[in-house]
Amino acid sequence: MHFTDRADAGRQLAGRLRHLEDHNPVVLGLPRGGVVVAYEVAQALHAPLDVIVVRKLGVPYHRELGFGAIGEGGARVLSDDIVQMSHVSPDDIDTVERHEEAELSRQAHRFRDGRPGTELAGRTVLVVDDGVATGATALAACAVARTRGAARVVLAVPVAAPQAMPALRTAADDVVCLSVPPVFFAVGEWYHDFSQTQDDEVSGLLKQAVARSPRTTDVEVETAGVRLAGTLTMPADARAVVVFAHGTGSGRHSPRNRAVAAALNQTGLGTLLFDLLTPAEETDRANVFDVELLAERLTGVTRWARRENLPVAYFGASTGAAAALRAAADPEAEVSSVVSRGGRPDLTGPGLRTVRAPTLLIVGGRDDAVLELNRRAQAELTCPSLLHVVPGATHLFEEPGALDEVAHLARDWFSGHLPATPGP
């Protein structure tokens, strides 16, 4: 299998990685050529792109032959077989490693233009290169990703030598490779154009990716005499703003709502996560169930969010879902749609019948009491509505894949109920 150039290889590789788009991945390219491939993958998967800097340790008298590699965070991989075969001494190893450490630091700063590395903790990380020969560099890159807290590491390359595959499959949770030719001499032989990638091209691609990444800002919203802390994330060319109304014992730092928000951001939807109550108010549990108070706060926050001049939608959880529906029931509300995750729509009161925004109710199949409350609430809704039951999920959707399904459902519901764009 041959590739026209690295961009072509990246587009083909992205086609095999589509199933990971909904896993909120981070794409890390190995410089230099791997970043060109990774850029195409990141674009196709609507994922953030960063560089993962790893330096090959070359045999002193044959630099192209790598006996190991080092990476950011102190990661180090040595090939004992090549060390012994090439008679590389411990002094040789130290000398080469010191030289490559200095180059590693220089490249990391240059490529990122001083920006910090992307946070990897708890994320699915795609490590991408333009090909694998010995595998030492790829192994080090996977080690770096794990050192920085990646929850899952997927190594993705267009072509690899067959003898490298066993070690790669051990180092990564999954390996995606388009071609493993039985006769392999060098990565470049599988490209029609394998010209050297320059530092400036790598830096330029990373800058382009950053420019297209969502901008995140900590904000304060003043409404009804209080100041509420929030986090606003706006992708480039955002199509709407989804305002999150958190439920019992939750706030803008809720890992569940942040995961859903990240999935929405990937598809061009802005998100505003904020605390409905001040820290002092949260100490009184009665406030958590004061749906009228929460809805009043949400209405005020919605007015603030409209400064983005975009449609506004609501994502509510638990009692926050009742507040979202109460706010959407306001005759003057202009909310494009509502999604409730494990919500308590029964607490909305009589206003439930006057909600006009299309409403999606998502409930876990094992959340029996809440499921029954949602069935009764849906029967009262007069707006377009759908009750979706996630099989096997409990109230917090902590089961494997359950929260991902919530994110996919919410994304499709919000995207499918945006106001029509006026024609020219």
Side-chain angles (χ1 to χ4, degrees), residues 325-384:
L325 289 166
R326 178 75 69 89
D330 188 311
E332 297 182 1
E334 296 180 2
V335 180
S336 62
S337 57
V338 177
V339 172
S340 163
R341 172 184 65 80
R344 291 291 308 275
D346 56 296
L347 297 177
T348 305
L352 192 61
R353 300 183 183 89
T354 62
V355 175
R356 294 174 295 171
T359 298
L360 172 64
L361 307 172
I362 307 174
V363 186
R366 293 167 57 193
D367 193 5
D368 297 329
V370 173
L371 177 55
E372 180 57 30
L373 292 171
N374 274 259
R375 284 176 174 148
R376 295 177 185 174
Q378 190 195 18
E380 293 188 45
L381 288 169
T382 58
C383 61

Side-chain angles (χ1 to χ4, degrees), residues 9 36 54 59 66 74 78 112 142 194 196 201 206-207 222 293-294 305 318 327 352 368 371 387 396 404 419:
V36 181
V54 175
V59 174
L78 293 182
R112 293 197 183 104
C142 291
F194 198 64
Q196 187 173 8
E201 183 178 358
L206 291 171
K207 286 179 181 177
E222 186 169 356
L293 170 65
L294 302 181
S318 193
L352 192 61
D368 297 329
L371 177 55
L387 172 61
L396 296 180
D404 287 338

Side-chain angles (χ1 to χ4, degrees), residues 113-309:
D113 196 24
R115 296 182 301 271
T118 302
E119 178 61 50
L120 304 184
R123 303 286 293 273
T124 294
V125 175
L126 308 187
V127 176
V128 179
D129 203 358
D130 54 12
V132 171
T134 65
T137 305
L139 292 174
C142 291
V144 170
R146 293 203 189 280
T147 299
R148 292 172 56 190
R152 183 185 180 203
V153 176
V154 178
L155 177 66
V157 293
V159 62
Q163 61 268 26
M165 293 300 289
L168 298 178
R169 291 192 175 103
T170 300
D173 297 296
D174 191 15
V175 177
V176 177
C177 182
L178 301 182
S179 179
V180 186
V183 180
F184 184 101
F185 295 104
V187 172
E189 67 179 313
W190 304 100
Y191 287 82
H192 295 297
D193 178 1
F194 198 64
S195 53
Q196 187 173 8
T197 304
Q198 302 300 320
D199 283 2
D200 287 345
E201 183 178 358
V202 173
S203 300
L205 290 174
L206 291 171
K207 286 179 181 177
Q208 288 182 47
V210 169
R212 294 174 180 173
S213 296
R215 57 175 174 86
T216 298
T217 310
D218 290 330
V219 300
E220 274 195 341
V221 181
E222 186 169 356
T223 178
V226 296
R227 300 184 70 85
L228 304 174
T231 302
L232 176 68
T233 301
M234 296 298 294
D237 302 321
R239 299 175 293 148
V241 181
V242 179
V243 180
F244 279 60
H246 304 291
T248 308
S250 183
R252 70 189 188 281
H253 299 301
S254 160
R256 290 178 294 278
N257 285 335
R258 287 170 68 90
V260 173
L264 299 181
N265 296 150
Q266 286 183 15
T267 56
L269 296 171
T271 54
L272 174 58
L273 288 79
F274 73 100
D275 296 332
L276 283 164
L277 300 171
T278 66
E281 291 171 334
E282 289 177 348
T283 60
D284 185 351
R285 189 163 176 79
N287 289 325
V288 175
F289 291 90
D290 189 341
V291 174
E292 185 173 350
L293 170 65
L294 302 181
E296 180 185 9
R297 300 276 175 88
L298 180 56
T299 298
V301 170
T302 302
R303 285 194 292 268
W304 183 91
R306 292 197 188 283
R307 65 177 63 186
E308 297 291 335
N309 294 315

Side-chain angles (χ1 to χ4, degrees), residues 87-106:
H87 304 291
V88 179
S89 69
D91 287 343
D92 290 335
I93 293 175
D94 289 343
T95 299
V96 173
E97 193 166 346
R98 282 196 301 272
H99 175 269
E100 295 301 339
E101 282 177 347
E103 183 64 13
L104 185 148
S105 297
R106 184 196 72 80

